[in-house]
Amino acid sequence: MTQSIVGPEIERLIQLLARLPGLGPRSARRAALHLIKKREALMQPLAKALADAAAAVSVCTVCGNIDSQNPCAVCADPRRDASILVVVEDVGDLWALERAAATRGRYHVLGGVLSPLDGIGPDDLNIASLVARVRQDGISEVILAMNATVEGQTTAHYITDQLAGSGVKLTRLAHGVPVGGELDYLDDGTLAAAMKSRTPF
Ligand SMILES: [Zn+2]
């Protein structure tokens, strides 16, 4: 352990920043130094924003989204199509779909994917509450917006089995050529998936 050249308060700030995704010790030191230099313009407003968010944040008891209100803004919005449910792995995926304005439906956040190797089974995810919502809330379509990973697709299949016989229309996101993508640069799996899920022109 090298001797610290800063006081314990700054050292602790650096250590906490280093625990953020995408930041290692080096970038955490840079971020801490930047904050200290911009103490009034950035550091103090950030500290207040962190405290406010920590006090206000809550998990939506309907869909699992994170917001400062419960039910969340999406669930509380009467202009949303309540008959469409978009199932996502995590809140980050919900936010991504919202940024893209990709759907007028509502969401259900699973809180992860099935992963037997990591000991994550159906009871660790919000699957039972999804099945209950579909049965009770008059849902006509469930869109499975899982990641195109083995775990994501395994989870989608599991949910499909759980909702069999419910009469709900089950769809999933298309797999294939990204917008602006060039065929020559795509991997074999993506190209094969794109050919398989081709649509009428
Ligand atoms: Zn919600």
Side-chain angles (χ1 to χ4, degrees):
M1 189 79 190
T2 51
Q3 197 191 340
S4 181
I5 55 164
V6 293
E9 297 85 357
I10 298 171
E11 187 60 42
R12 176 156 169 77
L13 173 65
I14 294 169
Q15 282 175 5
L16 288 172
L17 285 171
R19 281 157 61 175
L20 293 172
L23 287 192
R26 188 188 178 90
S27 40
R29 278 196 299 275
R30 286 184 59 197
L33 194 55
H34 185 76
L35 286 169
I36 290 163
K37 283 179 181 168
K38 309 257 178 199
R39 195 164 129 178
E40 281 185 22
L42 185 59
M43 194 181 202
Q44 285 168 350
L46 178 66
K48 185 172 185 316
L50 282 170
D52 291 348
V57 79
S58 63
V59 175
C60 176
T61 45
V62 179
C63 75
N65 187 18
I66 290 171
D67 202 347
S68 55
Q69 63 181 70
N70 180 18
C72 72
V74 177
C75 287
D77 185 349
R79 292 165 300 175
R80 291 277 174 162
D81 186 342
S83 70
I84 297 174
L85 214 49
V86 184
V87 182
V88 293
E89 293 177 18
D90 279 307
V91 172
D93 303 325
L94 186 163
W95 289 359
L97 287 167
E98 281 298 288
R99 279 200 306 276
T103 176
R104 295 296 304 153
R106 290 183 176 152
Y107 295 92
H108 194 86
V109 182
L110 294 176
V113 280
L114 295 174
S115 180
L117 287 177
D118 301 313
I120 299 173
D123 294 343
D124 300 307
L125 305 175
N126 299 323
I127 292 177
S129 56
L130 168 65
V131 175
R133 268 183 98 180
V134 171
R135 294 234 163 93
Q136 292 156 19
D137 292 359
I139 308 293
S140 62
E141 180 179 3
V142 170
I143 303 171
L144 298 167
M146 263 81 255
N147 289 331
T149 58
V150 173
E151 291 85 0
Q153 297 310 302
T154 304
T155 308
H157 281 292
Y158 180 84
I159 291 172
T160 303
D161 288 345
Q162 297 299 304
L163 293 175
S166 65
V168 72
K169 179 183 175 188
L170 282 160
T171 56
R172 58 156 204 175
L173 295 186
H175 296 171
V177 183
V179 174
E182 295 179 36
L183 300 194
D184 196 19
Y185 287 93
L186 295 184
D187 65 277
D188 298 350
T190 303
L191 260 182
M195 188 56 84
K196 204 173 153 195
S197 42
R198 66 190 183 278
T199 53
F201 199 71

mmCIF file of all heavy atoms in Angstrom, residues 59-67 69-76 94 106-107 109 133, ligand 1:
data_model
loop_
_atom_site.group_PDB
_atom_site.id
_atom_site.type_symbol
_atom_site.label_atom_id
_atom_site.label_comp_id
_atom_site.label_asym_id
_atom_site.label_seq_id
_atom_site.Cartn_x
_atom_site.Cartn_y
_atom_site.Cartn_z
ATOM 1 N N VAL A 59 -38.430 2.383 -6.137
ATOM 2 C CA VAL A 59 -38.677 1.401 -7.185
ATOM 3 C C VAL A 59 -40.186 1.310 -7.399
ATOM 4 O O VAL A 59 -40.945 1.159 -6.439
ATOM 5 C CB VAL A 59 -38.101 0.026 -6.789
ATOM 6 C CG1 VAL A 59 -38.464 -1.025 -7.831
ATOM 7 C CG2 VAL A 59 -36.595 0.113 -6.619
ATOM 8 N N CYS A 60 -40.622 1.425 -8.648
ATOM 9 C CA CYS A 60 -42.057 1.368 -8.964
ATOM 10 C C CYS A 60 -42.602 -0.020 -8.607
ATOM 11 O O CYS A 60 -42.082 -1.032 -9.070
ATOM 12 C CB CYS A 60 -42.269 1.670 -10.444
ATOM 13 S SG CYS A 60 -43.988 1.525 -10.954
ATOM 14 N N THR A 61 -43.631 -0.051 -7.802
ATOM 15 C CA THR A 61 -44.178 -1.342 -7.371
ATOM 16 C C THR A 61 -44.992 -2.013 -8.484
ATOM 17 O O THR A 61 -45.313 -3.188 -8.382
ATOM 18 C CB THR A 61 -45.076 -1.166 -6.128
ATOM 19 O OG1 THR A 61 -45.932 -0.047 -6.322
ATOM 20 C CG2 THR A 61 -44.248 -0.963 -4.885
ATOM 21 N N VAL A 62 -45.305 -1.248 -9.544
ATOM 22 C CA VAL A 62 -46.038 -1.847 -10.671
ATOM 23 C C VAL A 62 -45.080 -2.510 -11.648
ATOM 24 O O VAL A 62 -45.238 -3.681 -11.998
ATOM 25 C CB VAL A 62 -46.887 -0.773 -11.412
ATOM 26 C CG1 VAL A 62 -47.621 -1.400 -12.595
ATOM 27 C CG2 VAL A 62 -47.855 -0.122 -10.444
ATOM 28 N N CYS A 63 -44.057 -1.757 -12.101
ATOM 29 C CA CYS A 63 -43.234 -2.249 -13.213
ATOM 30 C C CYS A 63 -41.772 -2.495 -12.853
ATOM 31 O O CYS A 63 -41.059 -3.131 -13.620
ATOM 32 C CB CYS A 63 -43.312 -1.280 -14.388
ATOM 33 S SG CYS A 63 -42.375 0.237 -14.162
ATOM 34 N N GLY A 64 -41.290 -1.977 -11.720
ATOM 35 C CA GLY A 64 -39.886 -2.181 -11.360
ATOM 36 C C GLY A 64 -38.962 -1.089 -11.846
ATOM 37 O O GLY A 64 -37.751 -1.149 -11.627
ATOM 38 N N ASN A 65 -39.506 -0.065 -12.523
ATOM 39 C CA ASN A 65 -38.699 1.073 -12.955
ATOM 40 C C ASN A 65 -38.230 1.866 -11.728
ATOM 41 O O ASN A 65 -38.813 1.762 -10.652
ATOM 42 C CB ASN A 65 -39.552 1.965 -13.866
ATOM 43 C CG ASN A 65 -38.764 3.086 -14.509
ATOM 44 O OD1 ASN A 65 -37.535 3.036 -14.569
ATOM 45 N ND2 ASN A 65 -39.476 4.094 -14.996
ATOM 46 N N ILE A 66 -37.170 2.659 -11.908
ATOM 47 C CA ILE A 66 -36.676 3.516 -10.831
ATOM 48 C C ILE A 66 -37.062 4.957 -11.148
ATOM 49 O O ILE A 66 -36.852 5.439 -12.257
ATOM 50 C CB ILE A 66 -35.150 3.377 -10.678
ATOM 51 C CG1 ILE A 66 -34.816 2.001 -10.125
ATOM 52 C CG2 ILE A 66 -34.600 4.457 -9.764
ATOM 53 C CD1 ILE A 66 -33.341 1.689 -10.143
ATOM 54 N N ASP A 67 -37.671 5.616 -10.184
ATOM 55 C CA ASP A 67 -38.101 7.000 -10.378
ATOM 56 C C ASP A 67 -38.167 7.661 -9.010
ATOM 57 O O ASP A 67 -37.899 7.033 -7.981
ATOM 58 C CB ASP A 67 -39.486 7.015 -11.057
ATOM 59 C CG ASP A 67 -39.752 8.344 -11.773
ATOM 60 O OD1 ASP A 67 -39.003 9.302 -11.550
ATOM 61 O OD2 ASP A 67 -40.723 8.401 -12.550
ATOM 62 N N GLN A 69 -41.010 8.891 -8.059
ATOM 63 C CA GLN A 69 -42.410 8.725 -7.684
ATOM 64 C C GLN A 69 -42.822 7.269 -7.886
ATOM 65 O O GLN A 69 -42.245 6.561 -8.704
ATOM 66 C CB GLN A 69 -43.320 9.638 -8.512
ATOM 67 C CG GLN A 69 -43.301 9.339 -10.009
ATOM 68 C CD GLN A 69 -44.191 10.288 -10.793
ATOM 69 O OE1 GLN A 69 -43.882 11.467 -10.931
ATOM 70 N NE2 GLN A 69 -45.295 9.782 -11.311
ATOM 71 N N ASN A 70 -43.781 6.810 -7.118
ATOM 72 C CA ASN A 70 -44.276 5.436 -7.187
ATOM 73 C C ASN A 70 -45.802 5.449 -7.166
ATOM 74 O O ASN A 70 -46.373 5.889 -6.169
ATOM 75 C CB ASN A 70 -43.725 4.638 -6.001
ATOM 76 C CG ASN A 70 -44.197 3.196 -6.014
ATOM 77 O OD1 ASN A 70 -44.654 2.694 -7.033
ATOM 78 N ND2 ASN A 70 -44.101 2.541 -4.872
ATOM 79 N N PRO A 71 -46.501 4.990 -8.225
ATOM 80 C CA PRO A 71 -45.992 4.430 -9.480
ATOM 81 C C PRO A 71 -45.140 5.437 -10.268
ATOM 82 O O PRO A 71 -45.320 6.648 -10.120
ATOM 83 C CB PRO A 71 -47.273 4.093 -10.262
ATOM 84 C CG PRO A 71 -48.351 4.025 -9.248
ATOM 85 C CD PRO A 71 -47.968 4.966 -8.165
ATOM 86 N N CYS A 72 -44.251 4.897 -11.104
ATOM 87 C CA CYS A 72 -43.328 5.736 -11.863
ATOM 88 C C CYS A 72 -44.080 6.571 -12.897
ATOM 89 O O CYS A 72 -45.266 6.351 -13.161
ATOM 90 C CB CYS A 72 -42.275 4.858 -12.542
ATOM 91 S SG CYS A 72 -42.911 3.895 -13.939
ATOM 92 N N ALA A 73 -43.358 7.533 -13.505
ATOM 93 C CA ALA A 73 -43.982 8.456 -14.462
ATOM 94 C C ALA A 73 -44.583 7.710 -15.647
ATOM 95 O O ALA A 73 -45.615 8.112 -16.175
ATOM 96 C CB ALA A 73 -42.950 9.469 -14.936
ATOM 97 N N VAL A 74 -43.953 6.614 -16.071
ATOM 98 C CA VAL A 74 -44.472 5.854 -17.220
ATOM 99 C C VAL A 74 -45.792 5.181 -16.840
ATOM 100 O O VAL A 74 -46.786 5.275 -17.560
ATOM 101 C CB VAL A 74 -43.452 4.791 -17.688
ATOM 102 C CG1 VAL A 74 -44.040 3.958 -18.823
ATOM 103 C CG2 VAL A 74 -42.160 5.451 -18.129
ATOM 104 N N CYS A 75 -45.816 4.505 -15.684
ATOM 105 C CA CYS A 75 -47.035 3.814 -15.253
ATOM 106 C C CYS A 75 -48.167 4.806 -14.969
ATOM 107 O O CYS A 75 -49.338 4.487 -15.151
ATOM 108 C CB CYS A 75 -46.765 2.966 -14.015
ATOM 109 S SG CYS A 75 -45.811 1.480 -14.369
ATOM 110 N N ALA A 76 -47.807 6.006 -14.504
ATOM 111 C CA ALA A 76 -48.826 6.990 -14.120
ATOM 112 C C ALA A 76 -49.366 7.766 -15.314
ATOM 113 O O ALA A 76 -50.353 8.476 -15.190
ATOM 114 C CB ALA A 76 -48.240 7.963 -13.097
ATOM 115 N N LEU A 94 -34.955 0.014 -20.204
ATOM 116 C CA LEU A 94 -36.196 0.825 -20.243
ATOM 117 C C LEU A 94 -35.857 2.264 -20.642
ATOM 118 O O LEU A 94 -36.481 2.844 -21.532
ATOM 119 C CB LEU A 94 -36.870 0.786 -18.866
ATOM 120 C CG LEU A 94 -38.251 1.423 -18.672
ATOM 121 C CD1 LEU A 94 -38.886 0.905 -17.380
ATOM 122 C CD2 LEU A 94 -38.228 2.931 -18.649
ATOM 123 N N ARG A 106 -46.411 0.138 -21.885
ATOM 124 C CA ARG A 106 -45.794 0.206 -20.565
ATOM 125 C C ARG A 106 -44.759 -0.897 -20.426
ATOM 126 O O ARG A 106 -44.609 -1.721 -21.319
ATOM 127 C CB ARG A 106 -46.879 0.098 -19.490
ATOM 128 C CG ARG A 106 -47.735 1.350 -19.447
ATOM 129 C CD ARG A 106 -48.768 1.288 -18.353
ATOM 130 N NE ARG A 106 -49.509 2.555 -18.291
ATOM 131 C CZ ARG A 106 -50.758 2.670 -17.869
ATOM 132 N NH1 ARG A 106 -51.415 1.606 -17.447
ATOM 133 N NH2 ARG A 106 -51.344 3.844 -17.842
ATOM 134 N N TYR A 107 -44.069 -0.911 -19.299
ATOM 135 C CA TYR A 107 -42.918 -1.804 -19.147
ATOM 136 C C TYR A 107 -43.085 -2.778 -17.995
ATOM 137 O O TYR A 107 -43.928 -2.605 -17.106
ATOM 138 C CB TYR A 107 -41.645 -0.989 -18.900
ATOM 139 C CG TYR A 107 -41.248 -0.117 -20.053
ATOM 140 C CD1 TYR A 107 -41.688 1.199 -20.134
ATOM 141 C CD2 TYR A 107 -40.434 -0.608 -21.061
ATOM 142 C CE1 TYR A 107 -41.328 2.005 -21.194
ATOM 143 C CE2 TYR A 107 -40.063 0.195 -22.136
ATOM 144 C CZ TYR A 107 -40.514 1.500 -22.186
ATOM 145 O OH TYR A 107 -40.156 2.308 -23.244
ATOM 146 N N VAL A 109 -39.912 -4.594 -15.670
ATOM 147 C CA VAL A 109 -38.468 -4.765 -15.506
ATOM 148 C C VAL A 109 -38.198 -6.046 -14.717
ATOM 149 O O VAL A 109 -38.638 -6.182 -13.572
ATOM 150 C CB VAL A 109 -37.847 -3.558 -14.762
ATOM 151 C CG1 VAL A 109 -36.331 -3.733 -14.639
ATOM 152 C CG2 VAL A 109 -38.190 -2.252 -15.477
ATOM 153 N N ARG A 133 -49.587 -9.693 -13.798
ATOM 154 C CA ARG A 133 -50.031 -8.493 -14.528
ATOM 155 C C ARG A 133 -50.756 -8.876 -15.813
ATOM 156 O O ARG A 133 -51.788 -8.302 -16.161
ATOM 157 C CB ARG A 133 -48.821 -7.628 -14.898
ATOM 158 C CG ARG A 133 -48.475 -6.576 -13.892
ATOM 159 C CD ARG A 133 -47.314 -5.740 -14.401
ATOM 160 N NE ARG A 133 -47.743 -4.493 -15.018
ATOM 161 C CZ ARG A 133 -46.902 -3.609 -15.538
ATOM 162 N NH1 ARG A 133 -45.604 -3.861 -15.533
ATOM 163 N NH2 ARG A 133 -47.344 -2.497 -16.063
HETATM 164 ZN ZN ZN B 1 -43.774 1.823 -13.262
#
